[in-house]
Amino acid sequence: MEAIVITPAPLQVKTLTGTVSQLASGQGAIAGLKKGDLVQLSYAAGGGVAGAAGAGAAPASVQLVGATLVGTLKEVAADKTWLIVRSRLPGQPDNEVNVPLQADAPFWPLVAAMRPGDGVAAVYRGVDGVNRIRMLEWQYQPVPRWQRWLSLSGAAGLLFLMALLLTGFHPARLILGVDNRYSTSQLQTVLWFWVVISAYMALVFHRMASAGWSYVGGVDIPSNLLILSGVSVLTFTGAKLISRSKAADADAPRPQAAAAPRPADLVQDNARRTDLGDFQMVVITALAVLIYAVSTVEFMERIEFRRVVTMPDVDATLLAIFTLGQAAYLGKKAAGEGPAGN
């Protein structure tokens, strides 16, 4: 059985499938082993490996057959069968070596997803002078949930502080229409922009904190998230175009500006009647923002040392609901009477 050494004394190992076991063994059988070594454990008839809770039978032999290599991916062969990892020599941190590793077919999809500069960890075994990969993954840093929520909240708070400063300490102006009423289309744009940029800032922060300054940036936006963000902007733009078109109509009635904005403006029309289209868009926007915030926090549970990562995407159902809600809002606005500020 092949296993990775976790601690040499007492001998605790982890199989390539992730099972952790502590083995009873004499000191002579494990002399010279160190954490990260790949060993071949052989047992006499009737021997075995106990679970992590107890000690198992002593292996008949413990043979060093490979090691764990942690470093930076330098080069990947075009056919994905070879990769070269740059690493530092044990005990000589100033000296770097390039280690070639051969990848068999099961690893090709993973190798194809890796890029030069990624931090990787590979368990390999020497066979006839060739280092054959037995396990391969990106290096990663786990992040506690409270830290993830703190970073997302901190990024959102920083954006709010910028809004305070840029609006003269009146951030509500960002969602105020020309008729002195709060605008539903502006609210959904502001909220969605707020959560997406906060998520980006939090993710970049954790990449820097975990892997260093060389991992600043390199965050892509997935297709559904890009579409949803585009729909949000188009709704805002479309609402303004419809309002201006109606304002230019000489026959259209001119609504009076409100004496003061009210939160109820977000779900009411110019006649102060509750509007289903406005209410629907407020609810859908709030739902989308909440779901994406939670998705971002869960996504940052494990920060992988990858040169390029993709932000968490939105599912097709949420995208469809959001798009239909925006379309219904624009439809009712185009069909409504008079220029509206919402």
Side-chain angles (χ1 to χ4, degrees):
M1 178 188 71
E2 288 183 349
I4 304 167
V5 175
I6 299 177
T7 58
L11 181 57
Q12 189 177 30
V13 298
K14 179 176 68 174
T15 66
L16 299 183
T17 59
T19 302
V20 177
S21 303
Q22 183 168 311
L23 310 175
S25 178
Q27 290 295 321
I30 60 174
L33 291 182
K34 61 183 180 298
K35 181 180 178 179
D37 284 344
L38 180 66
V39 294
Q40 179 75 41
L41 304 176
S42 300
Y43 293 87
V49 182
S61 65
V62 179
Q63 180 182 4
L64 178 65
V65 295
T68 300
L69 176 68
V70 178
T72 303
L73 186 59
K74 181 179 180 181
E75 185 179 341
V76 179
D79 60 2
K80 314 305 178 187
T81 59
W82 283 88
L83 59 154
I84 297 177
V85 177
R86 184 173 64 248
S87 183
R88 289 182 171 87
L89 293 172
Q92 304 179 49
D94 295 332
N95 296 328
E96 293 186 341
V97 294
N98 295 323
V99 181
L101 303 174
Q102 185 176 18
D104 295 327
F107 295 101
W108 292 348
L110 179 58
V111 173
M114 292 182 168
R115 302 187 183 187
D118 287 355
V120 297
V123 178
Y124 65 92
R125 177 174 183 172
V127 179
D128 298 330
V130 176
N131 298 324
R132 305 182 71 91
I133 294 176
R134 301 293 294 144
M135 188 175 72
L136 178 67
E137 63 180 359
W138 280 281
Q139 296 179 50
Y140 68 90
Q141 179 70 39
V143 181
R145 180 174 278 107
W146 70 268
Q147 290 186 11
R148 290 174 260 150
W149 276 113
L150 182 62
S151 62
L152 184 61
S153 301
L158 180 60
L159 288 178
F160 183 72
L161 178 60
M162 293 177 62
L164 281 175
L165 297 176
L166 295 176
T167 60
F169 292 90
H170 293 88
R173 292 175 180 174
L174 292 174
I175 61 172
L176 196 62
V178 295
D179 56 359
N180 203 34
R181 292 183 175 90
Y182 289 133
S183 168
T184 310
S185 62
Q186 289 176 221
L187 175 69
Q188 63 86 23
T189 303
V190 168
L191 288 181
W192 188 248
F193 169 83
W194 194 15
V195 71
V196 171
I197 298 303
S198 297
Y200 177 84
M201 293 170 60
L203 182 54
V204 169
F205 167 77
H206 282 298
R207 281 167 55 82
M208 291 170 50
S210 300
W213 285 92
S214 60
Y215 288 85
V216 173
V219 180
D220 284 348
I221 183 169
S223 57
N224 283 358
L225 180 59
L226 180 62
I227 293 172
L228 195 151
S229 300
V231 169
S232 175
V233 173
L234 288 175
T235 299
F236 169 71
T237 305
K240 295 307 173 187
L241 291 176
I242 292 172
S243 294
R244 290 191 177 184
S245 176
K246 289 185 176 183
D249 187 353
D251 297 328
R254 297 292 188 271
Q256 294 182 348
R262 306 180 308 161
D265 294 338
L266 296 172
V267 295
Q268 291 181 346
D269 59 19
N270 293 328
R272 300 299 188 185
R273 294 177 304 226
T274 301
D275 187 277
L276 178 59
D278 288 349
F279 175 77
Q280 176 181 264
M281 190 160 80
V282 169
V283 171
I284 291 175
T285 300
L287 179 64
V289 167
L290 177 61
I291 290 176
Y292 195 73
V294 174
S295 298
T296 299
V297 169
E298 295 307 310
F299 177 82
M300 295 188 296
E301 178 182 10
R302 170 174 162 147
I303 301 298
E304 295 179 333
F305 296 8
R306 303 173 64 169
R307 284 296 183 185
V308 179
V309 297
T310 302
M311 294 180 67
D313 207 353
V314 295
D315 58 74
T317 300
L318 182 60
L319 175 62
I321 293 174
F322 190 90
T323 303
L324 291 174
Q326 306 290 308
Y329 171 81
L330 288 178
K332 74 91 185 176
K333 187 174 183 66
E337 295 183 1
N342 281 351

